[in-house]
């Protein structure tokens, strides 16, 4: 019984705040190639487009997975959208955001804008 309670508490803690792995500023490209800046905070994300327009979303992290060194974090935005953040093997400085139907939403990079093809080569 104690193990069940500990597992529940542990999973609850992870569902509240975003992981340190993806917190911070990212350069992002959407599927049309538009440049954005995305910043993840513990419970909020901000999207800044190339015209300087900023949109904020609250989010909760709802899953963490690791399969063959590919890390995946699930988040749910305050408007109900569900995203998966994928990081290729051994490199958490670039990633990919997909929606719940595995549609490409954004590429992520800490340093430069990368397109979807560049990221898929790393998987």
């Amino acid at each position: 019984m104690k193990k069940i309670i500990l597992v529940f508490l542990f999973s609850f803690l992870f569902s509240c705040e975003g992981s340190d792995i993806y917190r911070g500023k990212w350069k992002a490209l959407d599927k049309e190639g538009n440049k954005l800046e995305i910043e993840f905070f513990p419970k909020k994300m901000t999207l800044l487009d190339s015209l300087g327009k900023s949109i904020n979303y609250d989010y909760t992290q709802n899953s963490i997975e690791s399969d063959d060194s590919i890390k995946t974090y699930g988040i749910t935005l305050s408007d109900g959208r569900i995203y998966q953040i994928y990081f290729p093997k051994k490199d958490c400085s670039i990633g990919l955001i997909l929606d719940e139907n595995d549609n490409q939403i954004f590429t992520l990079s800490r340093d430069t804008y990368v397109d979807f093809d560049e990221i898929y080569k790393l998987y």
Side-chain angles (χ1 to χ4, degrees):
M1 184 63 164
K2 288 181 184 179
K3 288 183 181 180
I4 293 173
I5 292 171
L6 287 175
V7 169
F8 175 74
L9 289 174
F10 188 70
S11 66
F12 177 74
L13 289 173
F14 278 109
S15 70
C16 294
E17 293 187 353
S19 173
D20 288 338
I21 297 295
Y22 60 82
R23 279 194 219 166
K25 292 184 180 183
W26 295 91
K27 295 188 182 299
L29 289 178
D30 66 14
K31 57 187 172 186
E32 287 84 30
N34 297 311
K35 294 180 179 179
L36 300 106
E37 302 264 336
I38 298 176
E39 187 165 4
F40 286 96
F41 299 94
K43 295 183 180 185
K44 178 181 82 165
M45 67 183 277
T46 300
L47 277 71
L48 180 66
D49 68 17
S50 60
L51 300 175
K53 182 180 175 187
S54 178
I55 302 171
N56 295 310
Y57 296 99
D58 292 331
Y59 75 91
T60 56
Q61 181 175 302
N62 55 29
S63 68
I64 300 172
E65 295 178 27
S66 183
D67 184 24
D68 194 26
S69 299
I70 296 174
K71 293 180 177 75
T72 306
Y73 298 87
I75 63 171
T76 302
L77 302 185
S78 55
D79 64 5
R81 286 183 283 172
I82 298 171
Y83 289 151
Q84 299 293 321
I85 305 170
Y86 292 96
F87 294 102
K89 299 177 183 179
K90 300 180 184 178
D91 189 354
C92 292
S93 67
I94 59 171
L96 183 64
I97 298 180
L98 303 177
D99 69 11
E100 62 189 315
N101 297 315
D102 292 332
N103 295 312
Q104 302 169 349
I105 304 299
F106 300 110
T107 62
L108 298 173
S109 173
R110 294 284 187 186
D111 301 318
T112 186
Y113 296 98
V114 295
D115 63 28
F116 288 101
D117 291 336
E118 290 177 68
I119 291 180
Y120 277 114
K121 290 177 186 176
L122 300 172
Y123 285 97

